[in-house]
């Protein structure tokens, strides 16, 4: 594995040199923080000269390092590269926004699934009651415990079954 000096001596543009360091240490926040002092001057230069690229590098660190990385890296950057506060905040805000959007999408999907289950359960109960009279509590519990696939099968069986138990029992 290349040392910090070897990586810094490579004939690469400043952003590319930092990228090689982050590719080497990016999955280990402790390694990033431990080596950050050696990279501080180049980080400050890139933050000032190439703010968009610097922000992208920060997003990589924050994504690769996981939840704890934000605070550990932020603290180290604020000490060693204080001029990077703006891009760091922007990168963190973007990740937070992405997390919110993903959470909303997952919430919508979960809501649709719950709505589908509730509709299927209502339909099964309605058809069972219409064909066989009021449902006993034990039958209600079986409808409540059924999966979407099981409920769909129940809806098909209710058309030909001779009892509610026959509808609720898998063939």
């Amino acid at each position: 594995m290349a040392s910090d000096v070897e990586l810094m001596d490579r004939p690469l543009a400043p952003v590319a040199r930092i990228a090689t360091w982050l590719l080497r240490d990016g999955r280990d926040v402790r390694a990033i923080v431990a080596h950050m002092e050696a990279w501080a001057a180049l980080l400050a230069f890139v933050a000032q000269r190439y703010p968009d690229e610097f922000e992208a590098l920060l997003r990589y660190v924050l994504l690769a390092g996981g939840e704890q990385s934000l605070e550990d890296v932020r603290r180290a950057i604020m000490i060693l590269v204080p001029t990077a506060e703006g891009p760091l905040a922007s990168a963190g805000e973007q990740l937070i926004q992405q997390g919110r959007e993903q959470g909303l999408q997952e919430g919508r999907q979960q809501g649709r699934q719950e709505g589908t289950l509730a509709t299927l359960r209502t339909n099964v109960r309605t058809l069972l009651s219409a064909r066989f009279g009021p449902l006993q509590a034990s039958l209600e519990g079986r409808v409540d415990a059924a999966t979407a696939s099981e409920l769909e099968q129940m809806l098909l069986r209710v058309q030909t079954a001779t009892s509610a138990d026959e509808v609720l029992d898998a063939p």
Side-chain angles (χ1 to χ4, degrees), residues 75-171:
R75 191 177 313 116
I77 288 175
M78 294 310 301
I79 292 168
L80 297 170
V81 192
T83 59
E85 182 177 10
L88 180 62
S90 181
E93 288 168 4
Q94 286 179 2
L95 290 175
I96 289 168
Q97 183 61 32
Q98 287 173 358
R100 283 186 187 128
E101 289 170 7
Q102 181 180 353
L104 285 172
Q105 182 65 22
E106 290 171 4
R108 286 185 195 108
Q109 179 64 28
Q110 183 178 352
R112 283 191 289 272
Q113 290 171 346
E114 290 173 6
T116 298
L117 271 174
T119 300
L120 287 169
R121 287 187 177 116
T122 298
N123 290 341
V124 167
R125 282 189 188 95
T126 301
L127 291 173
L128 283 172
S129 296
R131 274 211 71 197
F132 306 110
L135 293 180
Q136 299 170 356
S138 62
L139 297 179
E140 289 273 355
R142 288 163 60 191
V143 171
D144 288 339
T147 65
S149 177
E150 293 167 335
L151 292 164
E152 289 168 352
Q153 291 302 310
M154 289 176 192
L155 287 170
L156 294 174
R157 287 194 300 267
V158 78
Q159 299 174 47
T160 58
T162 57
S163 70
D165 280 320
E166 190 178 327
V167 172
L168 299 177
D169 292 331

